[in-house]
Amino acid sequence: MPEGAGLARFAREFPARHFDAAIAEQHALGLAAGLAAAGLRPVCAIYSTFLQRGFDQIFHEICLQRLPVILAIDRAGLVGQDGPTHHGAFDIAYLRFLPGLVLMAPRDGAELAAMLDFALAHDGPVAIRWPRETAADYPGLVLRPAPLRLGQAEVLRQGPDGALLAYGHMVETAWRAAADLEREGIRLTVVNARFAKPIDEELVSSLTREAPFVMTLEEHTVIGGFGSAVLEAVIRQRGNPDRIVPLGLPDRFVEHGTRPQLLARCGLDAASIAAAVRERAARRAPGSAPAYIRVQNG
């Protein structure tokens, strides 16, 4: 899979450091564990939908041994015309409950590079997911990216009318939806979650205390995903789970279609998210407190 995983150039330039296990995912993960046990820092690049074939190796050989293997999860989310066999809809759910495994997702290409650097320095296994998509763009965003710290989110903009807590590529969609809604007078906080495990519980607590609602956004099934992690954090904190509005993929296998078509059908494009915000904002009780939260920037 070197071409599909973007490793063909690496394989040519560093043949002694590239192992092509083809579609033998269990072997690839077991080999990565062995390399890590020998003192190396392997990066194991596998599509989200095929990584689940090696779940036993992730559990026994990697996480149980707390080995510093980096799971580079490509095609996380909707992949378009490849259809339900290739959609990466379940990786957060089947990885999140494994002890010691850090789950991350970048908002753009620059943050992906930073996350790889973070993972290489982390003492334990890390999983980083990204979609089959071009690098994200944020019109008007001038905020300097905040440094990566374990379990800490990044606040991109603030507003008193609600919050969009987005994971991975959905951060760009949240940014565009918030920009559209601002022209209508609805001002939202937009947060780049960065981590699905550990969750930024301090920020989640602040948001659920002070924002009228917190909409979680993920290109992953709602069941067991990032939104579920946020709800669990709120319950642990004895907060108000009624303020959490989880948006993600439905509880069904999504069929073929282009990515824009499928995102719209699943309610995960900017227009659908803006509509969901309008509906939720209409329920806001008069006199609700505005959201005042910490901003991380360096």
Side-chain angles (χ1 to χ4, degrees), residues 103-119 126-131 135-136 138 141 143-149 152-156 166-172 191-196 296:
L103 303 187
M104 310 173 73
R107 65 174 166 94
D108 54 28
E111 191 164 77
L112 172 57
M115 286 186 174
L116 285 168
D117 288 340
F118 177 94
V126 177
I128 309 173
R129 79 185 317 253
W130 61 85
Y138 298 86
L141 178 61
L143 183 67
R144 180 170 60 88
L148 275 170
R149 297 187 179 93
Q152 195 169 84
E154 175 191 36
V155 179
L156 299 180
Y167 189 55
H169 190 264
M170 292 305 299
V171 177
E172 180 191 27
V191 179
N192 169 22
R194 287 181 161 171
F195 294 87
Q296 297 159 218

mmCIF file of all heavy atoms in Angstrom, residues 103-119 126-131 135-136 138 141 143-149 152-156 166-172 191-196 296:
data_model
loop_
_atom_site.group_PDB
_atom_site.id
_atom_site.type_symbol
_atom_site.label_atom_id
_atom_site.label_comp_id
_atom_site.label_asym_id
_atom_site.label_seq_id
_atom_site.Cartn_x
_atom_site.Cartn_y
_atom_site.Cartn_z
ATOM 1 N N LEU A 103 -5.160 9.398 21.474
ATOM 2 C CA LEU A 103 -5.837 9.580 20.197
ATOM 3 C C LEU A 103 -5.803 11.049 19.806
ATOM 4 O O LEU A 103 -6.232 11.916 20.576
ATOM 5 C CB LEU A 103 -7.297 9.121 20.273
ATOM 6 C CG LEU A 103 -7.566 7.677 20.694
ATOM 7 C CD1 LEU A 103 -9.051 7.369 20.532
ATOM 8 C CD2 LEU A 103 -6.735 6.696 19.895
ATOM 9 N N MET A 104 -5.319 11.323 18.594
ATOM 10 C CA MET A 104 -5.180 12.688 18.102
ATOM 11 C C MET A 104 -5.724 12.797 16.684
ATOM 12 O O MET A 104 -5.784 11.801 15.948
ATOM 13 C CB MET A 104 -3.710 13.110 18.079
ATOM 14 C CG MET A 104 -2.939 12.863 19.358
ATOM 15 S SD MET A 104 -1.170 13.206 19.177
ATOM 16 C CE MET A 104 -1.194 14.985 19.105
ATOM 17 N N ALA A 105 -6.112 14.025 16.300
ATOM 18 C CA ALA A 105 -6.506 14.301 14.921
ATOM 19 C C ALA A 105 -6.179 15.757 14.609
ATOM 20 O O ALA A 105 -6.585 16.649 15.356
ATOM 21 C CB ALA A 105 -8.001 14.037 14.703
ATOM 22 N N PRO A 106 -5.432 16.033 13.534
ATOM 23 C CA PRO A 106 -5.024 17.399 13.210
ATOM 24 C C PRO A 106 -6.103 18.162 12.463
ATOM 25 O O PRO A 106 -6.908 17.581 11.738
ATOM 26 C CB PRO A 106 -3.798 17.186 12.326
ATOM 27 C CG PRO A 106 -4.104 15.906 11.611
ATOM 28 C CD PRO A 106 -4.850 15.049 12.596
ATOM 29 N N ARG A 107 -6.065 19.476 12.604
ATOM 30 C CA ARG A 107 -6.997 20.318 11.852
ATOM 31 C C ARG A 107 -6.489 20.644 10.460
ATOM 32 O O ARG A 107 -7.259 21.073 9.597
ATOM 33 C CB ARG A 107 -7.295 21.605 12.612
ATOM 34 C CG ARG A 107 -6.134 22.558 12.811
ATOM 35 C CD ARG A 107 -6.667 23.845 13.456
ATOM 36 N NE ARG A 107 -5.662 24.728 14.003
ATOM 37 C CZ ARG A 107 -5.110 25.762 13.353
ATOM 38 N NH1 ARG A 107 -5.424 25.988 12.100
ATOM 39 N NH2 ARG A 107 -4.239 26.547 13.958
ATOM 40 N N ASP A 108 -5.180 20.489 10.203
ATOM 41 C CA ASP A 108 -4.617 20.780 8.885
ATOM 42 C C ASP A 108 -3.265 20.081 8.750
ATOM 43 O O ASP A 108 -2.810 19.382 9.669
ATOM 44 C CB ASP A 108 -4.485 22.290 8.662
ATOM 45 C CG ASP A 108 -3.702 22.991 9.763
ATOM 46 O OD1 ASP A 108 -2.841 22.344 10.397
ATOM 47 O OD2 ASP A 108 -3.955 24.188 9.998
ATOM 48 N N GLY A 109 -2.619 20.290 7.609
ATOM 49 C CA GLY A 109 -1.358 19.605 7.348
ATOM 50 C C GLY A 109 -0.246 20.010 8.293
ATOM 51 O O GLY A 109 0.563 19.173 8.715
ATOM 52 N N ALA A 110 -0.176 21.296 8.624
ATOM 53 C CA ALA A 110 0.868 21.756 9.535
ATOM 54 C C ALA A 110 0.714 21.113 10.905
ATOM 55 O O ALA A 110 1.701 20.720 11.542
ATOM 56 C CB ALA A 110 0.829 23.274 9.655
ATOM 57 N N GLU A 111 -0.526 20.975 11.358
ATOM 58 C CA GLU A 111 -0.730 20.366 12.663
ATOM 59 C C GLU A 111 -0.457 18.860 12.615
ATOM 60 O O GLU A 111 -0.013 18.277 13.615
ATOM 61 C CB GLU A 111 -2.145 20.632 13.166
ATOM 62 C CG GLU A 111 -2.331 20.261 14.622
ATOM 63 C CD GLU A 111 -3.566 20.861 15.241
ATOM 64 O OE1 GLU A 111 -4.676 20.341 14.982
ATOM 65 O OE2 GLU A 111 -3.427 21.856 15.987
ATOM 66 N N LEU A 112 -0.691 18.223 11.475
ATOM 67 C CA LEU A 112 -0.337 16.813 11.337
ATOM 68 C C LEU A 112 1.164 16.615 11.542
ATOM 69 O O LEU A 112 1.591 15.701 12.254
ATOM 70 C CB LEU A 112 -0.759 16.284 9.969
ATOM 71 C CG LEU A 112 -0.284 14.871 9.613
ATOM 72 C CD1 LEU A 112 -0.736 13.846 10.646
ATOM 73 C CD2 LEU A 112 -0.773 14.477 8.219
ATOM 74 N N ALA A 113 1.977 17.481 10.940
ATOM 75 C CA ALA A 113 3.422 17.385 11.121
ATOM 76 C C ALA A 113 3.794 17.560 12.588
ATOM 77 O O ALA A 113 4.636 16.829 13.131
ATOM 78 C CB ALA A 113 4.127 18.431 10.257
ATOM 79 N N ALA A 114 3.139 18.518 13.260
ATOM 80 C CA ALA A 114 3.413 18.744 14.682
ATOM 81 C C ALA A 114 2.998 17.543 15.520
ATOM 82 O O ALA A 114 3.670 17.189 16.500
ATOM 83 C CB ALA A 114 2.688 20.000 15.151
ATOM 84 N N MET A 115 1.898 16.898 15.135
ATOM 85 C CA MET A 115 1.431 15.735 15.888
ATOM 86 C C MET A 115 2.370 14.549 15.708
ATOM 87 O O MET A 115 2.591 13.768 16.640
ATOM 88 C CB MET A 115 0.003 15.375 15.481
ATOM 89 C CG MET A 115 -1.029 16.331 16.027
ATOM 90 S SD MET A 115 -2.730 15.813 15.685
ATOM 91 C CE MET A 115 -3.632 17.052 16.624
ATOM 92 N N LEU A 116 2.943 14.399 14.516
ATOM 93 C CA LEU A 116 3.920 13.331 14.311
ATOM 94 C C LEU A 116 5.159 13.568 15.173
ATOM 95 O O LEU A 116 5.689 12.631 15.778
ATOM 96 C CB LEU A 116 4.295 13.237 12.835
ATOM 97 C CG LEU A 116 3.242 12.595 11.927
ATOM 98 C CD1 LEU A 116 3.587 12.819 10.458
ATOM 99 C CD2 LEU A 116 3.118 11.102 12.215
ATOM 100 N N ASP A 117 5.613 14.808 15.248
ATOM 101 C CA ASP A 117 6.740 15.127 16.127
ATOM 102 C C ASP A 117 6.396 14.828 17.583
ATOM 103 O O ASP A 117 7.209 14.262 18.329
ATOM 104 C CB ASP A 117 7.123 16.602 15.988
ATOM 105 C CG ASP A 117 7.799 16.914 14.657
ATOM 106 O OD1 ASP A 117 8.310 15.969 14.018
ATOM 107 O OD2 ASP A 117 7.802 18.093 14.262
ATOM 108 N N PHE A 118 5.178 15.205 17.989
ATOM 109 C CA PHE A 118 4.721 14.952 19.358
ATOM 110 C C PHE A 118 4.716 13.449 19.634
ATOM 111 O O PHE A 118 5.181 12.986 20.679
ATOM 112 C CB PHE A 118 3.327 15.538 19.543
ATOM 113 C CG PHE A 118 2.708 15.278 20.883
ATOM 114 C CD1 PHE A 118 2.819 16.195 21.914
ATOM 115 C CD2 PHE A 118 1.988 14.106 21.117
ATOM 116 C CE1 PHE A 118 2.244 15.951 23.159
ATOM 117 C CE2 PHE A 118 1.419 13.854 22.355
ATOM 118 C CZ PHE A 118 1.547 14.780 23.379
ATOM 119 N N ALA A 119 4.175 12.682 18.681
ATOM 120 C CA ALA A 119 4.057 11.232 18.870
ATOM 121 C C ALA A 119 5.424 10.567 18.965
ATOM 122 O O ALA A 119 5.616 9.626 19.745
ATOM 123 C CB ALA A 119 3.246 10.630 17.726
ATOM 124 N N VAL A 126 0.549 6.025 20.263
ATOM 125 C CA VAL A 126 -0.241 7.169 19.816
ATOM 126 C C VAL A 126 -0.925 6.813 18.506
ATOM 127 O O VAL A 126 -0.313 6.191 17.627
ATOM 128 C CB VAL A 126 0.637 8.418 19.608
ATOM 129 C CG1 VAL A 126 -0.188 9.581 19.068
ATOM 130 C CG2 VAL A 126 1.330 8.829 20.912
ATOM 131 N N ALA A 127 -2.194 7.201 18.353
ATOM 132 C CA ALA A 127 -2.918 7.034 17.091
ATOM 133 C C ALA A 127 -3.306 8.411 16.566
ATOM 134 O O ALA A 127 -3.869 9.221 17.302
ATOM 135 C CB ALA A 127 -4.168 6.178 17.296
ATOM 136 N N ILE A 128 -2.979 8.664 15.303
ATOM 137 C CA ILE A 128 -3.315 9.935 14.659
ATOM 138 C C ILE A 128 -4.174 9.627 13.436
ATOM 139 O O ILE A 128 -3.764 8.861 12.563
ATOM 140 C CB ILE A 128 -2.052 10.700 14.217
ATOM 141 C CG1 ILE A 128 -1.048 10.826 15.373
ATOM 142 C CG2 ILE A 128 -2.427 12.080 13.687
ATOM 143 C CD1 ILE A 128 0.285 11.415 14.956
ATOM 144 N N ARG A 129 -5.348 10.221 13.368
ATOM 145 C CA ARG A 129 -6.256 9.967 12.240
ATOM 146 C C ARG A 129 -6.348 11.199 11.345
ATOM 147 O O ARG A 129 -6.331 12.325 11.818
ATOM 148 C CB ARG A 129 -7.648 9.540 12.747
ATOM 149 C CG ARG A 129 -8.507 10.691 13.224
ATOM 150 C CD ARG A 129 -9.850 10.308 13.836
ATOM 151 N NE ARG A 129 -10.632 9.297 13.180
ATOM 152 C CZ ARG A 129 -11.736 9.533 12.479
ATOM 153 N NH1 ARG A 129 -12.185 10.769 12.292
ATOM 154 N NH2 ARG A 129 -12.409 8.524 11.958
ATOM 155 N N TRP A 130 -6.446 10.961 10.025
ATOM 156 C CA TRP A 130 -6.705 12.059 9.091
ATOM 157 C C TRP A 130 -7.522 11.540 7.924
ATOM 158 O O TRP A 130 -7.542 10.338 7.640
ATOM 159 C CB TRP A 130 -5.407 12.715 8.620
ATOM 160 C CG TRP A 130 -4.461 11.825 7.877
ATOM 161 C CD1 TRP A 130 -4.465 11.524 6.544
ATOM 162 C CD2 TRP A 130 -3.338 11.115 8.438
ATOM 163 N NE1 TRP A 130 -3.429 10.684 6.238
ATOM 164 C CE2 TRP A 130 -2.718 10.422 7.375
ATOM 165 C CE3 TRP A 130 -2.792 11.021 9.725
ATOM 166 C CZ2 TRP A 130 -1.586 9.626 7.568
ATOM 167 C CZ3 TRP A 130 -1.671 10.230 9.903
ATOM 168 C CH2 TRP A 130 -1.083 9.555 8.836
ATOM 169 N N PRO A 131 -8.230 12.422 7.218
ATOM 170 C CA PRO A 131 -9.181 11.989 6.189
ATOM 171 C C PRO A 131 -8.551 11.880 4.806
ATOM 172 O O PRO A 131 -7.401 12.275 4.586
ATOM 173 C CB PRO A 131 -10.215 13.120 6.209
ATOM 174 C CG PRO A 131 -9.374 14.334 6.488
ATOM 175 C CD PRO A 131 -8.305 13.871 7.452
ATOM 176 N N ALA A 135 -5.512 19.404 2.286
ATOM 177 C CA ALA A 135 -5.254 20.139 3.515
ATOM 178 C C ALA A 135 -6.293 21.235 3.708
ATOM 179 O O ALA A 135 -6.721 21.889 2.751
ATOM 180 C CB ALA A 135 -3.852 20.737 3.485
ATOM 181 N N ALA A 136 -6.687 21.436 4.946
ATOM 182 C CA ALA A 136 -7.739 22.399 5.272
ATOM 183 C C ALA A 136 -7.254 23.833 5.082
ATOM 184 O O ALA A 136 -6.065 24.132 5.121
ATOM 185 C CB ALA A 136 -8.199 22.185 6.707
ATOM 186 N N TYR A 138 -8.427 27.982 6.265
ATOM 187 C CA TYR A 138 -9.242 28.738 7.221
ATOM 188 C C TYR A 138 -9.241 30.210 6.827
ATOM 189 O O TYR A 138 -8.364 30.969 7.240
ATOM 190 C CB TYR A 138 -8.697 28.571 8.645
ATOM 191 C CG TYR A 138 -8.731 27.141 9.108
ATOM 192 C CD1 TYR A 138 -7.680 26.273 8.814
ATOM 193 C CD2 TYR A 138 -9.809 26.644 9.816
ATOM 194 C CE1 TYR A 138 -7.711 24.951 9.219
ATOM 195 C CE2 TYR A 138 -9.854 25.321 10.221
ATOM 196 C CZ TYR A 138 -8.798 24.488 9.919
ATOM 197 O OH TYR A 138 -8.846 23.178 10.317
ATOM 198 N N LEU A 141 -8.232 33.267 9.281
ATOM 199 C CA LEU A 141 -7.626 32.812 10.522
ATOM 200 C C LEU A 141 -6.178 33.313 10.602
ATOM 201 O O LEU A 141 -5.347 32.975 9.777
ATOM 202 C CB LEU A 141 -7.639 31.289 10.616
ATOM 203 C CG LEU A 141 -6.988 30.687 11.873
ATOM 204 C CD1 LEU A 141 -7.703 31.157 13.124
ATOM 205 C CD2 LEU A 141 -6.997 29.166 11.815
ATOM 206 N N LEU A 143 -4.743 33.474 13.913
ATOM 207 C CA LEU A 143 -4.273 33.034 15.222
ATOM 208 C C LEU A 143 -3.089 32.089 15.060
ATOM 209 O O LEU A 143 -3.150 31.118 14.303
ATOM 210 C CB LEU A 143 -5.401 32.314 15.963
ATOM 211 C CG LEU A 143 -5.113 31.844 17.384
ATOM 212 C CD1 LEU A 143 -4.934 33.025 18.314
ATOM 213 C CD2 LEU A 143 -6.242 30.960 17.882
ATOM 214 N N ARG A 144 -2.004 32.385 15.759
ATOM 215 C CA ARG A 144 -0.839 31.501 15.720
ATOM 216 C C ARG A 144 -1.177 30.159 16.363
ATOM 217 O O ARG A 144 -1.754 30.137 17.449
ATOM 218 C CB ARG A 144 0.328 32.154 16.463
ATOM 219 C CG ARG A 144 1.594 31.326 16.484
ATOM 220 C CD ARG A 144 2.755 32.152 17.011
ATOM 221 N NE ARG A 144 2.515 32.630 18.368
ATOM 222 C CZ ARG A 144 2.825 31.931 19.468
ATOM 223 N NH1 ARG A 144 3.346 30.725 19.351
ATOM 224 N NH2 ARG A 144 2.596 32.431 20.657
ATOM 225 N N PRO A 145 -0.865 29.029 15.697
ATOM 226 C CA PRO A 145 -1.204 27.735 16.290
ATOM 227 C C PRO A 145 -0.595 27.580 17.678
ATOM 228 O O PRO A 145 0.569 27.900 17.908
ATOM 229 C CB PRO A 145 -0.593 26.730 15.298
ATOM 230 C CG PRO A 145 -0.491 27.478 14.014
ATOM 231 C CD PRO A 145 -0.202 28.902 14.396
ATOM 232 N N ALA A 146 -1.410 27.111 18.615
ATOM 233 C CA ALA A 146 -0.929 26.889 19.974
ATOM 234 C C ALA A 146 -0.032 25.663 20.006
ATOM 235 O O ALA A 146 -0.231 24.715 19.245
ATOM 236 C CB ALA A 146 -2.112 26.702 20.924
ATOM 237 N N PRO A 147 0.985 25.645 20.881
ATOM 238 C CA PRO A 147 1.842 24.459 20.991
ATOM 239 C C PRO A 147 1.028 23.236 21.411
ATOM 240 O O PRO A 147 0.008 23.362 22.093
ATOM 241 C CB PRO A 147 2.845 24.850 22.081
ATOM 242 C CG PRO A 147 2.778 26.329 22.182
ATOM 243 C CD PRO A 147 1.392 26.712 21.804
ATOM 244 N N LEU A 148 1.500 22.075 20.984
ATOM 245 C CA LEU A 148 0.820 20.832 21.353
ATOM 246 C C LEU A 148 1.204 20.421 22.762
ATOM 247 O O LEU A 148 2.392 20.264 23.072
ATOM 248 C CB LEU A 148 1.197 19.718 20.377
ATOM 249 C CG LEU A 148 0.391 19.631 19.088
ATOM 250 C CD1 LEU A 148 1.049 18.655 18.137
ATOM 251 C CD2 LEU A 148 -1.034 19.222 19.364
ATOM 252 N N ARG A 149 0.200 20.245 23.601
ATOM 253 C CA ARG A 149 0.387 19.706 24.943
ATOM 254 C C ARG A 149 -0.616 18.586 25.130
ATOM 255 O O ARG A 149 -1.773 18.699 24.693
ATOM 256 C CB ARG A 149 0.205 20.786 26.007
ATOM 257 C CG ARG A 149 1.220 21.918 25.915
ATOM 258 C CD ARG A 149 1.106 22.885 27.088
ATOM 259 N NE ARG A 149 2.105 23.949 27.003
ATOM 260 C CZ ARG A 149 1.898 25.135 26.438
ATOM 261 N NH1 ARG A 149 0.706 25.393 25.900
ATOM 262 N NH2 ARG A 149 2.844 26.045 26.400
ATOM 263 N N GLN A 152 -4.680 18.848 25.481
ATOM 264 C CA GLN A 152 -5.091 20.252 25.510
ATOM 265 C C GLN A 152 -5.612 20.680 24.143
ATOM 266 O O GLN A 152 -4.952 20.498 23.122
ATOM 267 C CB GLN A 152 -3.937 21.150 25.931
ATOM 268 C CG GLN A 152 -4.383 22.553 26.324
ATOM 269 C CD GLN A 152 -3.258 23.331 26.975
ATOM 270 O OE1 GLN A 152 -2.435 23.923 26.285
ATOM 271 N NE2 GLN A 152 -3.205 23.317 28.290
ATOM 272 N N ALA A 153 -6.809 21.260 24.144
ATOM 273 C CA ALA A 153 -7.437 21.730 22.915
ATOM 274 C C ALA A 153 -6.941 23.129 22.563
ATOM 275 O O ALA A 153 -6.188 23.756 23.303
ATOM 276 C CB ALA A 153 -8.955 21.718 23.075
ATOM 277 N N GLU A 154 -7.398 23.625 21.410
ATOM 278 C CA GLU A 154 -7.005 24.951 20.915
ATOM 279 C C GLU A 154 -8.273 25.746 20.594
ATOM 280 O O GLU A 154 -9.093 25.332 19.774
ATOM 281 C CB GLU A 154 -6.149 24.794 19.654
ATOM 282 C CG GLU A 154 -5.778 26.101 18.992
ATOM 283 C CD GLU A 154 -5.154 25.913 17.616
ATOM 284 O OE1 GLU A 154 -5.582 24.991 16.888
ATOM 285 O OE2 GLU A 154 -4.260 26.691 17.259
ATOM 286 N N VAL A 155 -8.447 26.896 21.240
ATOM 287 C CA VAL A 155 -9.585 27.767 20.970
ATOM 288 C C VAL A 155 -9.228 28.676 19.795
ATOM 289 O O VAL A 155 -8.257 29.426 19.853
ATOM 290 C CB VAL A 155 -9.950 28.608 22.205
ATOM 291 C CG1 VAL A 155 -11.126 29.539 21.883
ATOM 292 C CG2 VAL A 155 -10.303 27.708 23.379
ATOM 293 N N LEU A 156 -10.025 28.620 18.729
ATOM 294 C CA LEU A 156 -9.743 29.393 17.522
ATOM 295 C C LEU A 156 -10.507 30.704 17.470
ATOM 296 O O LEU A 156 -10.026 31.680 16.900
ATOM 297 C CB LEU A 156 -10.078 28.562 16.280
ATOM 298 C CG LEU A 156 -9.294 27.261 16.100
ATOM 299 C CD1 LEU A 156 -9.735 26.538 14.838
ATOM 300 C CD2 LEU A 156 -7.796 27.537 16.063
ATOM 301 N N ALA A 166 -14.835 20.720 17.665
ATOM 302 C CA ALA A 166 -14.632 19.877 16.479
ATOM 303 C C ALA A 166 -13.338 19.082 16.580
ATOM 304 O O ALA A 166 -12.346 19.542 17.145
ATOM 305 C CB ALA A 166 -14.610 20.745 15.224
ATOM 306 N N TYR A 167 -13.367 17.890 15.979
ATOM 307 C CA TYR A 167 -12.230 16.977 16.020
ATOM 308 C C TYR A 167 -11.728 16.731 14.615
ATOM 309 O O TYR A 167 -12.482 16.342 13.715
ATOM 310 C CB TYR A 167 -12.661 15.666 16.673
ATOM 311 C CG TYR A 167 -11.535 14.696 16.969
ATOM 312 C CD1 TYR A 167 -10.434 15.078 17.723
ATOM 313 C CD2 TYR A 167 -11.579 13.382 16.511
ATOM 314 C CE1 TYR A 167 -9.409 14.187 18.009
ATOM 315 C CE2 TYR A 167 -10.570 12.479 16.804
ATOM 316 C CZ TYR A 167 -9.480 12.888 17.554
ATOM 317 O OH TYR A 167 -8.467 11.999 17.838
ATOM 318 N N GLY A 168 -10.418 16.990 14.410
ATOM 319 C CA GLY A 168 -9.805 16.681 13.128
ATOM 320 C C GLY A 168 -10.277 17.584 12.009
ATOM 321 O O GLY A 168 -10.393 18.806 12.168
ATOM 322 N N HIS A 169 -10.541 16.994 10.852
ATOM 323 C CA HIS A 169 -10.898 17.764 9.671
ATOM 324 C C HIS A 169 -12.193 18.548 9.855
ATOM 325 O O HIS A 169 -12.424 19.539 9.149
ATOM 326 C CB HIS A 169 -11.032 16.831 8.456
ATOM 327 C CG HIS A 169 -11.166 17.561 7.158
ATOM 328 N ND1 HIS A 169 -12.375 17.824 6.563
ATOM 329 C CD2 HIS A 169 -10.222 18.108 6.346
ATOM 330 C CE1 HIS A 169 -12.186 18.487 5.446
ATOM 331 N NE2 HIS A 169 -10.893 18.677 5.281
ATOM 332 N N MET A 170 -13.031 18.172 10.815
ATOM 333 C CA MET A 170 -14.273 18.901 11.037
ATOM 334 C C MET A 170 -14.029 20.292 11.594
ATOM 335 O O MET A 170 -14.940 21.122 11.615
ATOM 336 C CB MET A 170 -15.182 18.114 11.985
ATOM 337 C CG MET A 170 -15.736 16.818 11.414
ATOM 338 S SD MET A 170 -16.624 17.039 9.838
ATOM 339 C CE MET A 170 -17.927 18.136 10.339
ATOM 340 N N VAL A 171 -12.816 20.586 12.026
ATOM 341 C CA VAL A 171 -12.513 21.931 12.516
ATOM 342 C C VAL A 171 -12.690 22.949 11.392
ATOM 343 O O VAL A 171 -13.257 24.030 11.600
ATOM 344 C CB VAL A 171 -11.085 21.999 13.088
ATOM 345 C CG1 VAL A 171 -10.749 23.419 13.529
ATOM 346 C CG2 VAL A 171 -10.937 21.036 14.262
ATOM 347 N N GLU A 172 -12.223 22.621 10.195
ATOM 348 C CA GLU A 172 -12.387 23.545 9.063
ATOM 349 C C GLU A 172 -13.869 23.786 8.784
ATOM 350 O O GLU A 172 -14.300 24.924 8.558
ATOM 351 C CB GLU A 172 -11.706 22.990 7.817
ATOM 352 C CG GLU A 172 -11.862 23.913 6.615
ATOM 353 C CD GLU A 172 -11.435 23.276 5.307
ATOM 354 O OE1 GLU A 172 -11.505 22.033 5.192
ATOM 355 O OE2 GLU A 172 -11.041 24.018 4.393
ATOM 356 N N VAL A 191 -13.618 25.453 18.671
ATOM 357 C CA VAL A 191 -12.503 24.807 19.361
ATOM 358 C C VAL A 191 -11.982 23.647 18.523
ATOM 359 O O VAL A 191 -12.768 22.813 18.043
ATOM 360 C CB VAL A 191 -12.927 24.294 20.754
ATOM 361 C CG1 VAL A 191 -11.764 23.595 21.451
ATOM 362 C CG2 VAL A 191 -13.457 25.434 21.609
ATOM 363 N N ASN A 192 -10.680 23.609 18.355
ATOM 364 C CA ASN A 192 -9.988 22.479 17.748
ATOM 365 C C ASN A 192 -9.637 21.514 18.882
ATOM 366 O O ASN A 192 -8.719 21.765 19.667
ATOM 367 C CB ASN A 192 -8.729 22.988 17.034
ATOM 368 C CG ASN A 192 -7.796 21.878 16.599
ATOM 369 O OD1 ASN A 192 -8.205 20.724 16.450
ATOM 370 N ND2 ASN A 192 -6.523 22.213 16.410
ATOM 371 N N ALA A 193 -10.359 20.401 18.974
ATOM 372 C CA ALA A 193 -10.202 19.495 20.116
ATOM 373 C C ALA A 193 -8.809 18.874 20.186
ATOM 374 O O ALA A 193 -8.274 18.641 21.264
ATOM 375 C CB ALA A 193 -11.259 18.401 20.064
ATOM 376 N N ARG A 194 -8.244 18.539 19.039
ATOM 377 C CA ARG A 194 -6.922 17.920 18.927
ATOM 378 C C ARG A 194 -6.874 16.497 19.492
ATOM 379 O O ARG A 194 -6.302 15.623 18.877
ATOM 380 C CB ARG A 194 -5.836 18.771 19.605
ATOM 381 C CG ARG A 194 -5.480 20.033 18.845
ATOM 382 C CD ARG A 194 -4.399 20.818 19.556
ATOM 383 N NE ARG A 194 -3.745 21.750 18.666
ATOM 384 C CZ ARG A 194 -2.880 22.669 19.071
ATOM 385 N NH1 ARG A 194 -2.568 22.749 20.345
ATOM 386 N NH2 ARG A 194 -2.318 23.479 18.216
ATOM 387 N N PHE A 195 -7.415 16.279 20.661
ATOM 388 C CA PHE A 195 -7.333 14.978 21.324
ATOM 389 C C PHE A 195 -8.740 14.416 21.561
ATOM 390 O O PHE A 195 -9.632 15.129 22.026
ATOM 391 C CB PHE A 195 -6.620 15.090 22.681
ATOM 392 C CG PHE A 195 -5.175 15.457 22.582
ATOM 393 C CD1 PHE A 195 -4.786 16.791 22.525
ATOM 394 C CD2 PHE A 195 -4.186 14.479 22.542
ATOM 395 C CE1 PHE A 195 -3.445 17.140 22.437
ATOM 396 C CE2 PHE A 195 -2.849 14.815 22.443
ATOM 397 C CZ PHE A 195 -2.478 16.159 22.393
ATOM 398 N N ALA A 196 -8.923 13.133 21.242
ATOM 399 C CA ALA A 196 -10.124 12.417 21.676
ATOM 400 C C ALA A 196 -9.837 11.621 22.940
ATOM 401 O O ALA A 196 -10.741 11.183 23.633
ATOM 402 C CB ALA A 196 -10.621 11.479 20.577
ATOM 403 N N GLN A 296 -6.063 29.629 24.412
ATOM 404 C CA GLN A 296 -4.694 29.129 24.400
ATOM 405 C C GLN A 296 -4.002 29.640 23.153
ATOM 406 O O GLN A 296 -4.479 29.433 22.048
ATOM 407 C CB GLN A 296 -4.686 27.608 24.403
ATOM 408 C CG GLN A 296 -5.291 27.015 25.648
ATOM 409 C CD GLN A 296 -5.735 25.603 25.408
ATOM 410 O OE1 GLN A 296 -6.755 25.190 25.910
ATOM 411 N NE2 GLN A 296 -4.968 24.832 24.679
#
